[in-house]
Amino acid sequence: MSRKPELRGRAARLARLFPPPSGSGRPASGQAARTPFVLLVVLLLGGGLIGLLVLNSALSEGSFKLDDLQKGTKSLTDQEQALQRDIDAYSAPDALQRRARELGMVPGGDPAFLAPDGTVKGVPGAAAEQPAVQVVRPPEAMPATAASPTPTAAPTPTAVAAATPTATPSTEPSSATPTPGR
């Protein structure tokens, strides 16, 4: 009957940390308490991994949306710049002058101004007559991005000449004399 010596103090505390040998006849009480702990750790790790996966997919979805929005912003910025270039081209002084001549406009004469008290300052002058030559561009020569309305049929020089009033001599005496250019 060999009996093991009783451990005391520090050795006894260390001996309790290790499981008893399987042939000792004592129940392995540490094994029963270890299973729920291992199961808890596995569940926590699995839950953490699943949470990271969900978080990662949500972040990547947001990244894709951000990328799409940035592409849309770039496209709209390019379109805005193209439209601004068109506006600048149409509002340039030479372009306005060319378009006014195409519409049959002529430069105005000397202006006259009204003062707040109703007096006229300056002497108004009539617009200088210019030859009725019209330059009509075909629609295919217009830029594709032009959004300004253009007349479909421009008046011909003969139509412009017919539309201007002319003083015809009449045999009947008239008290009113026609004034040219008005």
Side-chain angles (χ1 to χ4, degrees):
M1 300 194 53
S2 71
R3 192 173 159 186
K4 286 186 178 181
E6 276 300 311
L7 300 174
R8 295 183 189 174
R10 185 172 179 196
R13 285 192 304 262
L14 287 174
R16 277 188 259 146
L17 292 176
F18 294 108
S22 59
S24 68
R26 289 187 350 193
S29 61
Q31 186 68 22
R34 189 178 303 167
T35 305
F37 177 73
V38 171
L39 187 60
L40 177 69
V41 169
V42 168
L43 287 176
L44 285 175
L45 287 175
L49 289 175
I50 290 174
L52 284 174
L53 180 65
V54 168
L55 181 65
N56 191 17
S57 64
L59 287 175
S60 65
E61 180 182 349
S63 174
F64 286 131
K65 284 182 183 177
L66 179 65
D67 188 45
D68 290 342
L69 290 174
Q70 285 175 342
K71 286 179 183 176
T73 301
K74 185 181 182 311
S75 170
L76 290 174
T77 302
D78 292 344
Q79 183 179 4
E80 178 190 15
Q81 289 175 353
L83 290 172
Q84 187 62 44
R85 278 193 307 269
D86 290 346
I87 289 171
D88 292 342
Y90 285 123
S91 63
D94 60 336
L96 288 175
Q97 182 183 16
R98 184 184 70 244
R99 184 78 177 123
R101 287 182 195 251
E102 288 174 1
L103 293 174
M105 297 177 155
V106 294
D110 293 331
F113 300 99
L114 291 176
D117 62 351
T119 59
V120 178
K121 296 190 181 213
V123 178
E129 291 206 23
Q130 297 189 357
V133 176
Q134 298 258 340
V135 178
V136 179
R137 292 188 293 172
E140 55 268 8
M142 295 291 289
T145 58
S148 65
T150 57
T152 55
T156 61
T158 57
V160 172
T164 56
T166 58
T168 57
S170 67
T171 57
E172 298 176 16
S174 172
S175 63
T177 58
T179 56
R182 291 203 178 200

